[in-house]
Amino acid sequence: MLTALPTDTRLGGLWPDIWQATGETLLMVALTMLIGGTLGLLLALGLYLTRKGGLYENAVVSVVLNVLVNFFRPIPFIIFIAAVQPAARLIVGTGIGMPAVVFSLILAAMFGIARIIEQNLVTVPPGVIEAARAMGASRARIAATVVLPEALAPIILGYTFAFVAVVDMSAVAGLIAGGGLGSFAQTFGYRQYDPTVTWVCVLILVALVQVIQLIGNTLSARILRR
């Protein structure tokens, strides 16, 4: 099996570039999870709180938010990144490169994370909310000190799932010269017929996902045991 692997790889001289690409991927994913994750949480709270029977029930706002999320969330990222390119030029000043990729990732992640977190919030038992109401807690206090803490463990797992999805989406960055491991694998692996380079990039991405999944599972388990 090993003798079938190519021996004319350029891998040895590419390690500095591979680590640079790894850093670019980590930067793109970190910015996306920080900004897109925060916006997604706020959007999820809007969806949850304004739904029928919610703490801030509002049919109009609920319908608008649901339509917004349902419109953008199903778009495949390879199409989404091209569709929002005009908006990227308007807001970040360019339609290519890492700024444009991060802008697209933040938007795509925000809508996906919002739906994931909303689904976690609806698992909070209504009895817990009613008990807080009976004790005289305000609606805002119930949302901040009852709903979010009760759903924290599944929310962490939701963010972990979103992190893995963002890593996958960042690999498409090569289409608009966004950098990162996906772009590197396409340029130096696929287009230059060097499968060893491609597989090294794949293994780094897999290792990254495994580490994040382990951290997410551990944090969630500890919160559930409290």
Side-chain angles (χ1 to χ4, degrees):
M1 179 68 182
L2 292 176
T3 56
L5 292 173
T7 57
D8 56 345
T9 177
R10 297 176 56 207
L11 178 63
L14 290 175
W15 279 111
D17 298 311
I18 290 176
W19 295 128
Q20 180 181 341
T22 303
E24 291 170 352
T25 293
L26 290 173
L27 179 60
M28 285 190 287
V29 174
L31 288 173
T32 300
M33 292 305 296
L34 179 63
I35 302 174
T38 302
L39 294 175
L41 176 61
L42 295 175
L43 188 53
L45 282 171
L47 287 164
Y48 173 75
L49 296 174
T50 61
R51 64 191 287 132
K52 187 176 181 181
L55 292 170
Y56 291 90
E57 182 177 341
N58 187 311
V60 175
V61 175
S62 179
V63 169
V64 170
L65 292 180
N66 271 289
V67 169
L68 189 66
V69 172
N70 289 340
F71 180 84
F72 285 104
R73 196 170 66 91
I75 302 175
F77 187 65
I78 195 169
I79 298 173
F80 187 88
I81 201 170
V84 301
Q85 203 170 34
R89 288 197 185 97
L90 182 65
I91 295 176
V92 299
T94 177
I96 61 172
M98 187 180 292
V101 171
V102 172
F103 175 80
S104 304
L105 284 171
I106 288 172
L107 281 183
M110 177 179 72
F111 295 114
I113 288 173
R115 190 59 83 192
I116 292 172
I117 302 303
E118 182 215 6
Q119 291 171 353
N120 291 327
L121 292 176
V122 298
T123 63
V124 176
V128 178
I129 298 173
E130 290 305 319
R133 271 180 161 167
M135 294 173 66
S138 67
R139 293 180 294 179
R141 187 171 182 179
I142 293 173
T145 63
V146 176
V147 175
L148 284 175
E150 282 289 327
L152 186 56
I155 285 177
I156 289 174
L157 290 178
Y159 273 114
T160 305
F161 177 84
F163 183 97
V164 175
V166 171
V167 170
D168 289 343
M169 291 190 293
S170 73
V172 185
L175 291 175
I176 58 171
L181 283 169
S183 178
F184 187 87
Q186 291 178 46
T187 303
F188 295 96
Y190 177 71
R191 293 175 186 165
Q192 297 190 16
Y193 306 103
D194 194 334
T196 303
V197 171
T198 302
W199 272 103
V200 166
C201 293
V202 169
L203 291 174
I204 293 174
L205 287 171
V206 170
L208 179 62
V209 167
Q210 293 297 322
V211 169
I212 294 301
Q213 188 69 56
L214 177 63
I215 293 173
N217 290 346
T218 303
L219 283 176
S220 179
R222 286 186 178 179
I223 290 172
L224 284 174
R225 284 199 296 265
R226 285 191 311 184

